[in-house]
Amino acid sequence: MAKMLGLDGNDEMVRLWMRGTTGQVIAKEQIDHYPIDVPVAFRSMSKRKIIKDCWKTRRDFYYIDNGYIGNAQKKKWYYRVVKNNVQHVEKIVDVPKDRFDRMLEIHPWMKYNGQKSRPDNGPILLVTPSGKPGAFYGVNREDWLETTITEIKKHTDRKIIIRDKGLRSERVGGNNIASQCARDGIWALVTYQSIAALEAIHYGIPAFTMAPTATQHLANTDLSQIETPMYPDELEFKKLLNYLAYCQYTPGELGSGLAYRLIKELDL
């Protein structure tokens, strides 16, 4: 019996994960030919039908996508692997800080800056849901924009800047979330469930999220508080960063099996 099933042999990260788990690559149409107790691995929220089928049948799955932190520059270094979800939303596991510290050695610009002062009259950055998450959650971009802007304007008259996800080349380097927050003096960031919320908090900007996300334990969720946003406790946020560093991996760590071992051993 197969130990693990990979559903997209053409995807490089899935291939590496399968090498690290000594699993078997199959076509996604073949999944029903295997017992429910055999887990599957795949990448992309476009596979929403498979995710929802796994939830319904209680088949374990390992979801692969971009990492939470460390990818805001041109080179993509890290990929998250989530067991039975698309982001780590259930808990924050208390883990050592060694992995995050090693990330800082390679990417010193990632250093946590904590709460920063910002202009009292700064605008709100509204990060829209992109296509795949929108389809996954059944959210229409235009409807969400209209509803969210209407709600925000009930509680503030600040300028609202709309930021779409766009191409990766358009949102890294000098135009990453941190750079825009600094350049435009952003007061707070509002998003549906984008990892942009984590980037904003990391650089001292309070974030509001509307759906399950890895930051949900530390982000704001009530838009009526847009003028008095909560900042997470610094120690709690560093605990989250340490945890997320254990939840994302380099391609080498996927292929070597280290990623799979950490997930199993630490129940990540």
Side-chain angles (χ1 to χ4, degrees):
M1 182 185 297
K3 177 181 179 181
M4 175 85 66
L5 302 173
L7 301 187
D8 188 354
N10 294 321
D11 185 280
E12 180 184 3
M13 296 307 137
V14 172
R15 291 201 309 271
L16 288 169
W17 173 261
M18 299 314 295
R19 182 191 303 168
T21 60
T22 63
Q24 175 183 345
V25 175
I26 64 169
K28 63 181 181 180
E29 294 79 13
Q30 297 177 303
I31 187 173
D32 291 335
H33 299 166
Y34 292 83
I36 293 298
D37 60 353
V38 180
V40 296
F42 47 86
R43 184 179 177 188
S44 175
M45 292 184 82
S46 64
K47 296 183 175 62
R48 56 188 179 276
K49 183 181 184 302
I50 294 173
I51 294 171
K52 292 174 182 180
D53 284 346
C54 286
W55 281 339
K56 182 178 179 180
T57 61
R58 298 191 177 182
R59 183 192 293 272
D60 284 339
F61 67 90
Y62 292 84
Y63 173 79
I64 304 169
D65 208 328
N66 296 332
Y68 298 107
I69 43 181
N71 286 335
Q73 299 297 300
K74 291 183 179 180
K75 182 176 177 60
K76 191 182 296 184
W77 292 80
Y78 302 104
Y79 298 84
R80 71 183 186 268
V81 181
V82 192
K83 185 176 180 181
N84 296 336
N85 216 322
V86 295
Q87 288 197 34
H88 291 83
V89 301
E90 299 297 329
K91 57 189 176 182
I92 301 176
V93 178
D94 195 1
V95 295
K97 63 186 185 73
D98 58 326
R99 282 184 65 84
F100 185 69
D101 283 349
R102 284 200 297 274
M103 291 172 67
L104 289 180
E105 292 175 7
I106 302 172
H107 317 293
W109 49 268
M110 282 175 45
K111 186 175 181 181
Y112 172 57
N113 292 329
Q115 182 174 339
K116 287 184 174 180
S117 60
R118 62 209 194 287
D120 289 338
N121 62 346
I124 293 164
L125 183 61
L126 188 57
V127 179
T128 65
S130 55
K132 291 177 184 177
F136 184 85
Y137 290 106
V139 175
N140 176 274
R141 175 192 177 277
E142 285 70 29
D143 291 345
W144 182 83
L145 261 181
E146 181 180 354
T147 300
T148 305
I149 290 173
T150 298
E151 182 63 25
I152 290 172
K153 287 185 174 180
K154 291 179 183 177
H155 310 290
T156 185
D157 58 0
R158 293 178 184 274
K159 177 183 176 182
I160 298 174
I161 298 174
I162 297 172
R163 175 178 171 127
D164 292 315
K165 185 173 182 179
L167 298 174
R168 176 172 170 76
S169 60
E170 298 170 346
R171 52 190 166 87
V172 297
N175 197 36
N176 60 32
I177 292 293
S179 297
Q180 182 169 9
C181 286
R183 181 176 64 247
D184 296 334
I186 297 299
W187 171 259
L189 178 144
V190 177
T191 186
Y192 188 70
Q193 57 80 248
S194 173
I195 291 172
L198 180 68
E199 295 181 52
I201 298 172
H202 191 111
Y203 290 98
I205 306 298
F208 289 75
T209 59
M210 309 291 110
T213 171
T215 62
Q216 67 182 26
H217 303 285
L218 301 177
N220 297 267
T221 58
D222 182 358
L223 288 175
S224 71
Q225 305 299 313
I226 195 72
E227 284 295 330
T228 55
M230 175 272 296
Y231 287 89
D233 175 79
E234 181 174 342
L235 292 180
E236 286 299 308
F237 187 65
K238 287 184 175 178
K239 180 179 177 180
L240 174 64
L241 292 176
N242 293 337
Y243 169 53
L244 295 181
Y246 264 83
C247 296
Q248 62 177 40
Y249 314 96
T250 65
E253 291 172 336
L254 293 175
S256 70
L258 174 63
Y260 186 47
R261 289 196 299 273
L262 288 175
I263 292 170
K264 288 177 65 69
E265 291 172 4
L266 298 176
D267 190 27
L268 299 174

